Amino acid sequence: MKLLKLTVRNYRVHKERVIEFDPRTTLIGGPNESGKSTLVEAAHRVLFLRAKGVGKTHKCMKSNLHDGDPEVELEFDCRGKLYHLKKVFGSKGSSVLTEVGGSSWQDDEQVEEELRRILGLDVDGKAKQGQWGHLWAWQGEVDADPLAMADSKRDDLIQLLQKEGAAVVMMSEEDTNAASHFASEVLEQFTKKGEPKAGSEWSAARKEDDAAQSDLSESNEVLAKLEQAISDFDAAERTIRENTENLEKLRKAKSELKDRGKSME
C-alpha cells in the first residue's frame, strides 16, 4: 500500500493542509506543537476510525482554532488500485470511499467493510491503536517495542516477501537463532520496564557504578575542601606578609621620630 495524498481540514491546529507524498520518502519538519504528528495521526484515523462518534478520540480531533468538523481525505494505492477516502468526523460523521474508475461506497458500514477488505483486517476489525502501529511511533509511547506489534503479522509478511521474490531479505536460521539469543539475554538481564533484574550482571554493574559515583562525589567534596584550605592558607600568608611590611614601616617611623626628638634637645 502507498499513501499518495493527504488532506486535513479543521483538524486540531490545521485549518487546511495538503501533503503529497513522495514515491520514496516524505519528510515533515517544523517546530514543536506545529502539528507534525497530527498529520500522521490523521492518516491513521481516516483508515481505522469510524467517522461517526462522540467519544474522547473524536473530541480530541476537533480544532479549538477553526470552525467545522474535522475532515480527512486520503488518496492511496493498494495492490495496483487507486482509492480516494474521505471522512468527516463527529456526531454526524460521514464516509465516502471511491475506487478510481470503479465502485463508490457512501454508507458508513459499507465503507468500513470495504476498508477492512482492502487493508486485510479481521472481519470485526475496529479502530485499534495497535493496527499498523509498527509503522509509526505514537506520541508519548516511543519507548514501546514496535516488534511486538509486528510479530502477529510476521508469517504473512514472510509469505508476501517470498511471493514477491524478496526471500533474500528474510532472516536465515543463524539470524533467527542470534536474534532469539539476544532476546533471551535481554529477558534474563532486564525487567519488562527495562530495569536490570536483581542479581543480574547489569544490576551488579549498576551497583558498582553507583558506589563509584558516590566515592567520586565524596572525593570531589574532599578536593573542594583542600582547595579551599590552600586558598585560605595563601590568603593568610599574604596578610602576614603585608602586616610584616607595615610593622617594619612603623618601626622605622618610630626610630626616625626618636632621632628627631634628640636633635631638638
Side-chain angles (χ1 to χ4, degrees):
M1 177 179 178
K2 295 181 180 179
L3 304 184
L4 305 177
K5 183 178 179 180
L6 174 71
T7 303
V8 298
R9 300 184 185 91
N10 307 320
Y11 197 113
R12 295 191 180 179
V13 299
H14 299 290
K15 173 62 176 176
E16 181 167 354
R17 183 74 64 182
V18 179
I19 302 294
E20 295 191 17
F21 295 97
D22 184 84
R24 298 187 63 182
T25 304
T26 299
L27 177 64
I28 300 176
N32 290 341
E33 304 301 326
S34 61
K36 302 185 297 296
S37 299
T38 300
L39 293 172
V40 187
E41 177 192 283
H44 191 275
R45 296 290 192 221
V46 76
L47 288 171
F48 299 109
L49 183 66
R50 290 177 177 272
K52 187 176 295 185
V54 293
K56 180 179 178 181
T57 302
H58 285 77
K59 289 180 179 178
C60 74
M61 297 161 62
K62 193 171 181 62
S63 175
N64 294 324
L65 304 173
H66 315 295
D67 295 330
D69 292 328
E71 297 182 21
V72 182
E73 294 185 46
L74 182 65
E75 296 178 17
F76 61 95
D77 179 322
C78 190
R79 301 183 185 88
K81 294 182 179 180
L82 300 179
Y83 294 90
H84 181 274
L85 172 63
K86 178 180 178 180
K87 288 185 179 180
V88 179
F89 295 93
S91 59
K92 299 180 181 180
S94 61
S95 305
V96 178
L97 174 64
T98 302
E99 178 185 339
V100 178
S103 302
S104 180
W105 301 265
Q106 296 187 23
D107 178 78
D108 287 348
E109 288 299 329
Q110 292 180 352
V111 169
E112 296 302 323
E113 181 179 351
E114 190 62 20
L115 278 175
R116 287 195 294 268
R117 184 192 68 77
I118 294 172
L119 301 176
L121 303 179
D122 296 334
V123 175
D124 60 347
K126 297 180 180 179
K128 298 178 181 178
Q129 185 163 300
Q131 291 174 343
W132 290 20
H134 60 287
L135 297 181
W136 73 295
W138 286 88
Q139 192 125 350
E141 298 189 7
V142 293
D143 59 340
D145 182 4
L147 296 179
M149 300 178 183
D151 280 345
S152 61
K153 296 296 182 181
R154 181 177 181 277
D155 293 339
D156 293 339
L157 177 60
I158 290 178
Q159 291 179 9
L160 178 60
L161 291 173
Q162 289 175 323
K163 180 180 179 181
E164 298 295 330
V168 67
V169 304
M170 292 171 52
M171 290 194 301
S172 65
E173 183 177 352
E174 290 79 7
D175 294 331
T176 303
N177 291 336
S180 298
H181 171 73
F182 286 120
S184 177
E185 286 293 316
V186 170
L187 291 176
E188 184 176 339
Q189 296 289 336
F190 297 94
T191 64
K192 291 183 179 180
K193 293 184 178 181
E195 294 294 327
K197 288 184 176 179
S200 66
E201 294 180 5
W202 279 94
S203 178
R206 172 170 285 187
K207 289 181 179 179
E208 291 180 2
D209 180 68
D210 290 342
Q213 291 293 338
S214 179
D215 291 342
L216 177 61
S217 178
E218 292 178 1
S219 298
N220 286 333
E221 290 180 5
V222 172
L223 177 60
K225 291 179 180 179
L226 289 174
E227 289 177 340
Q228 183 61 47
I230 292 173
S231 177
D232 292 344
F233 180 80
D234 290 340
E237 277 197 326
R238 286 193 301 272
T239 301
I240 292 173
R241 186 166 55 252
E242 291 172 358
N243 289 337
T244 300
E245 292 175 355
N246 292 334
L247 181 59
E248 185 61 31
K249 291 178 180 179
L250 290 172
R251 285 174 177 172
K252 185 177 179 180
K254 180 180 178 182
S255 177
E256 291 177 351
L257 287 173
K258 283 183 177 182
D259 291 344
R260 189 180 301 173
K262 288 180 180 181
S263 63
M264 292 177 64
E265 290 179 353

